[in-house]
Amino acid sequence: MNEYNGEIKKMMIILSKASLENVYAAFILANGARMEGIEAEIFFTFFGLEAIHKKKLEKLHVATVGNPAMHIPTMIGGLPGMEAMATKMMKKEMEKLDIPPVHEFLDIMKQSGVKFWACKLAMEMFHYKEEDLYEGVGGVLTVGEFYKKGSVLGTHMLFV
Amino acid sequence: MEKIIAGKTIHVNEEGYLTALSEWDKSIASEIAKEEGVGELGDRHWQVIEYLQGQFKQEIPLSIRKIGKSGVVGIEEFYALFPQGPLKKASKIAGIPKPASCI
């Protein structure tokens, strides 16, 4: 890694999941990059699209099933209300740490210069229209177009 | 360690952040701003610097979110005033410690 002595110039983050822990991971990485003077772009694909879907982004949940770190038995994690409870607890902890809710976080990132892109194929698959999306989304791209945006030295790609 | 900035000997850490705000003055801030590539400081810069120092004195940790809600400067303008890592650069110029926040 010789380009810029390995210094990161741009982070291209691909968000493919809609569980709150994944969405926040992508957001914090993107925002953290901007705070360090690093460019950041997020490509929302598959379930990750829910994080920019106006009607869904406020209703994202923590996954309580299939997540061993939750320390909740799978059977119990699947009971009605468990996800809502875990989500409520997590949101409370995040507020204490000054981590903003999803919509506000999108606003902060947009104002910070993070670029948002929606995956064309996933948009078609879920029958989403551009007007369903958060207004800060720059457009709907194919994978190839997204790669092109990352074709500069010092770019790193990350799949969440 | 010691460093001479604007003709004055001041104390900074290994990353160049002042270790005592009491040693800070505007000429030092202007010099650091040039070193950091921020350029000449205008009224808006000084207002932000004053706000950051105020928060530091009250021991309130800084974050981009708080800056946005400060009523002093919006996030977009903050990035424009102090390009390439605004919170870090502005803190360095303001003579306060490097912010430890990820958000």
Side-chain angles (χ1 to χ4, degrees), chain A residues 34-37 98 104 112, chain B residues 63 65 79 84-85 88 103:
Chain A
R34 292 299 302 127
M35 286 175 69
E36 296 297 321
D98 204 25
E104 189 192 335
S112 304
Chain B
S63 70
R65 188 189 192 192
Y79 270 87
Q84 300 292 314
K88 278 167 57 187
I103 35 167

Side-chain angles (χ1 to χ4, degrees), chain A residues 17 32 47 52 62 81 93 97 123 154:
Chain A
K17 303 177 192 81
F47 300 110
I52 46 169
V62 180
E93 287 304 313
L97 289 170
M123 288 286 287

